[in-house]
Amino acid sequence: MDYQASMRLLELERELHRREAVERFPVFLDYTSPAYSRQWFHTLIAEKCQALLQDTLPTQKLMIFVPPQHGKSEIVSRKFPAWALGQNPLLKIVGTSYSADLAAQFSRAIQRTIDSKEYGEVFPNTYLNNQKAKKDSQRGWLRNVDMFETVGFGGFYKAVGVGGSLTGTPADLGIIDDPIKDALEANSQTYRDRVWDWYNDVFLTRLHNNSKQILIQTRWHTDDLAGRLLEYEGDSWEIVSIPALREDMQLPEDPRQIGEALWEERHSRARLQEVEQRSPRTFAALYQQRPTIAGGNIIKREWFKHISQTEFNRMHNNEPVVFFIDTAYTDKSDNDPTGIIATCKIGNDLYVTHAEKVRFRFPDLLRFVPNYVKQHGYTSRSSIRIEPKANGISVIDQMKETTGLNVTQTPSPKDSKETRLNAASPTIECGRVILVDGAWNELFEDEVCGFPSKPHDEYVDVLCYAIDYHIANPFKPIDKARIARQVY
């Protein structure tokens, strides 16, 4: 192929690309930013925005929950208004964020996109006032950091911070990008009420019957703006919730396996797990879009008492350690893990001395349990009590045959986990469940206090079993040897 033919082919390819950018917002992202690294979830977000604009969503309201630094604002707040004005330069758009400064930054980014050569190739009829322009047609059209108009049409983009005024500004499309700045604001009832009042008293008053809304944010709190909207009118919103680590198969467009990171090249699974280890509750909210009530849902964090390992050793007095196990034998991350806790009753209180979760195949689980219990206080007076589901029965039978450990099954529960945890909550609330200090405390408390919002609940199961056995069950076996020693 000669040089001229090659150039004609390149021109044809670019023309096809340009035409596709007119029709498809995801392609527009690539065309106007050739270095843009569009991931599958970027495409999904862009397609949802396009569907909203073109009335092919079942609703006029779109919520998008994505972890921090995964590009949601670049798509929705910086590029989408430009593409939407290209599609319809008569549109009236309001863009908001937690501060006027950030809203102004979005405005400047949109203007840079519209001023670009690539945008002019895609949408030649949509442009802004340029003070250096010689054409009289461009003069007199408003353009500043807070608001700009499309020349010849009068469509506009208005930037405002949450709490700012929108008087006299009707909107066909309203975009709210992160109405809460940080944890301090999220945990302030006063600030959350202020955001809610502004949304109802200011933002909504500028919309009409055909107006469309987009709310994008990371979830800080169960009572944030998204939380209140979901509570009051959840059925009227299209919701796209994308966790940093995949936990279930509910989002059909998600190509990941359970446990895989959303954007491994930028935010690896290993890094995300480090974030989770440091602060499970923050990770669940900001990265997994599952905020829990501060302090806990059914169980409050402050209900758990703590004791040092040294203090526990001093008062232990050889009371037997009893182990509770919720079994699952697999080494795959898409299955539930096995949960195990070591417990000890001293006086009227229940001490949880250790907790751990593992994912093992059946033979490896059988090898793990004896080693674990021996490392964490097993004696001849201890017992290992296992939930009697299918996996548990197999583990019980095999361990009885191959070990000399005291293995038995817990009574089969008749009630739901939520009912059982509610029944156990008074025991925890009155301070009778005490955790021995250890690195496992944070994850244990986070799961129990986060229930039922957490994807796993093994610790809830075994804790309920432990409370039933040690405190709530008057018919547990009598330690005859201990009574004989006391009598003697």
Side-chain angles (χ1 to χ4, degrees):
M1 182 181 296
D2 60 26
Y3 174 77
Q4 290 185 341
S6 298
M7 292 302 296
R8 285 196 297 271
L9 180 59
L10 289 173
E11 290 175 2
L12 178 59
E13 290 175 348
R14 181 167 177 79
E15 175 60 17
L16 293 174
H17 193 199
R18 185 196 69 79
R19 293 185 182 185
E20 194 174 9
V22 175
E23 300 297 327
R24 295 188 58 220
F25 178 42
V27 178
F28 174 85
L29 297 173
D30 305 330
Y31 191 90
T32 55
S33 301
Y36 187 70
S37 177
R38 175 157 56 99
Q39 306 297 306
W40 71 266
F41 58 93
H42 296 146
T43 301
L44 175 62
I45 294 169
E47 288 175 342
K48 292 292 184 179
C49 289
Q50 177 171 342
L52 178 75
L53 184 68
Q54 297 178 343
D55 294 317
T56 57
L57 277 187
T59 178
Q60 294 177 317
K61 303 174 183 179
L62 174 64
M63 280 189 194
I64 300 172
F65 306 140
V66 185
Q69 298 187 48
H70 279 72
K72 63 185 184 302
S73 292
E74 178 68 19
I75 299 170
V76 181
S77 293
R78 296 185 179 93
K79 294 294 187 180
F80 183 56
W83 188 80
L85 287 169
Q87 293 287 315
N88 181 3
L90 295 171
L91 275 179
K92 298 173 175 58
I93 304 175
V94 169
T96 74
S97 188
Y98 60 79
S99 74
D101 287 344
L102 183 56
Q105 289 180 31
F106 292 150
S107 175
R108 284 192 289 267
I110 298 165
Q111 294 181 50
R112 283 194 294 269
T113 295
I114 296 177
D115 285 339
S116 70
K117 176 177 70 69
E118 291 81 7
Y119 186 90
E121 293 169 350
V122 177
F123 298 116
N125 294 325
T126 299
Y127 54 92
L128 309 179
N129 181 5
N130 187 336
Q131 297 298 334
K132 298 179 182 179
K134 299 291 177 105
K135 297 179 181 178
D136 290 337
S137 61
Q138 289 188 228
R139 296 171 182 168
W141 293 95
L142 182 63
R143 180 176 183 178
N144 56 51
V145 70
D146 297 319
M147 185 171 179
F148 61 81
E149 297 174 310
T150 52
V151 173
F153 295 95
F156 64 76
Y157 179 92
K158 168 73 173 178
V160 64
V162 169
S165 173
L166 285 173
T167 303
T169 308
D172 303 313
L173 171 63
I175 300 173
I176 302 177
D177 186 332
D178 274 335
I180 292 177
K181 178 175 64 175
D182 53 25
L184 187 64
E185 290 184 351
N187 291 320
S188 166
Q189 178 75 46
T190 300
Y191 186 80
R192 295 197 306 272
D193 289 344
R194 187 182 305 162
V195 172
W196 180 245
D197 291 342
W198 177 84
Y199 175 81
N200 286 284
D201 298 343
V202 178
F203 184 81
L204 285 186
T205 63
R206 310 322 304 163
L207 306 185
H208 52 77
N209 288 347
N210 297 318
S211 295
K212 298 170 175 62
Q213 300 180 55
I214 303 179
L215 171 60
I216 62 172
Q217 66 171 90
T218 49
R219 296 299 310 276
W220 286 94
H221 196 283
T222 55
D223 188 44
D224 58 19
L225 179 58
R228 293 196 187 186
L229 289 171
L230 290 173
E231 179 182 357
Y232 287 108
E233 54 177 48
D235 292 342
S236 66
W237 288 81
E238 174 87 0
I239 301 166
V240 179
S241 181
I242 309 176
L245 294 176
R246 190 170 194 185
E247 296 174 331
D248 54 46
M249 307 303 289
Q250 292 183 6
L251 184 63
E253 296 90 348
D254 194 336
R256 294 176 291 167
Q257 298 298 312
I258 300 294
E260 289 185 352
L262 181 58
W263 198 353
E264 181 68 28
E265 295 78 10
R266 293 286 298 274
H267 305 279
S268 68
R269 177 181 177 180
R271 177 186 172 276
L272 293 171
Q273 289 175 330
E274 289 176 1
V275 175
E276 182 179 21
Q277 288 288 335
R278 286 196 298 272
S279 181
R281 191 163 71 91
T282 297
F283 179 80
L286 268 65
Y287 289 84
Q288 301 299 97
Q289 318 312 319
R290 287 186 290 95
T292 55
I293 296 173
N297 291 330
I298 296 174
I299 305 299
K300 307 297 182 184
R301 284 178 182 266
E302 60 267 24
W303 294 354
F304 285 110
K305 291 185 176 179
H306 289 260
I307 189 174
S308 69
Q309 185 69 56
T310 301
E311 181 65 14
F312 174 78
N313 292 341
R314 184 190 64 77
M315 62 187 299
H316 182 196
N317 197 28
N318 295 319
E319 293 293 339
V321 176
V322 180
F323 299 85
F324 296 85
I325 305 178
D326 178 11
T327 60
Y329 41 84
T330 177
D331 57 356
K332 295 181 179 180
S333 61
D334 58 340
N335 287 70
D336 290 337
T338 289
I340 181 169
I341 59 172
T343 66
C344 181
K345 185 182 180 187
I346 301 176
N348 292 320
D349 296 328
L350 170 62
Y351 291 80
V352 182
T353 63
H354 196 268
E356 188 165 340
K357 287 192 181 187
V358 294
R359 282 186 170 91
F360 287 127
R361 292 172 298 175
F362 185 63
D364 298 322
L365 183 61
L366 290 178
R367 286 188 287 269
F368 166 79
V369 172
N371 291 331
Y372 177 88
V373 298
K374 290 173 183 177
Q375 289 174 7
H376 294 284
Y378 181 90
T379 67
S380 61
R381 295 168 55 219
S382 297
S383 62
I384 303 170
R385 314 187 74 81
I386 300 176
E387 185 177 0
K389 57 187 178 184
N391 294 353
I393 293 172
S394 300
V395 173
I396 293 168
D397 292 342
Q398 287 295 317
M399 289 188 65
K400 282 183 175 180
E401 290 184 12
T402 59
T403 74
L405 301 174
N406 297 324
V407 183
T408 187
Q409 69 179 41
T410 58
S412 298
K414 297 179 181 179
D415 298 315
S416 68
K417 289 183 177 68
E418 189 164 352
T419 299
R420 292 163 58 210
L421 189 60
N422 273 298
S425 64
T427 300
I428 306 172
E429 184 176 8
C430 67
R432 295 178 62 190
V433 177
I434 302 166
L435 308 184
V436 177
D437 288 343
W440 56 272
N441 289 175
E442 180 73 12
L443 287 173
F444 180 85
E445 288 182 297
D446 184 66
E447 179 176 303
V448 174
C449 296
F451 180 85
S453 300
K454 294 294 182 179
H456 295 291
D457 50 27
E458 292 77 23
Y459 285 150
V460 173
D461 260 346
V462 291
L463 178 61
C464 288
Y465 282 129
I467 291 173
D468 286 344
Y469 175 78
H470 285 292
I471 296 177
N473 181 6
F475 304 108
K476 65 181 178 182
I478 298 173
D479 189 341
K480 296 180 180 179
R482 180 185 175 192
I483 293 175
R485 287 195 301 274
Q486 291 175 337
V487 171
Y488 179 79

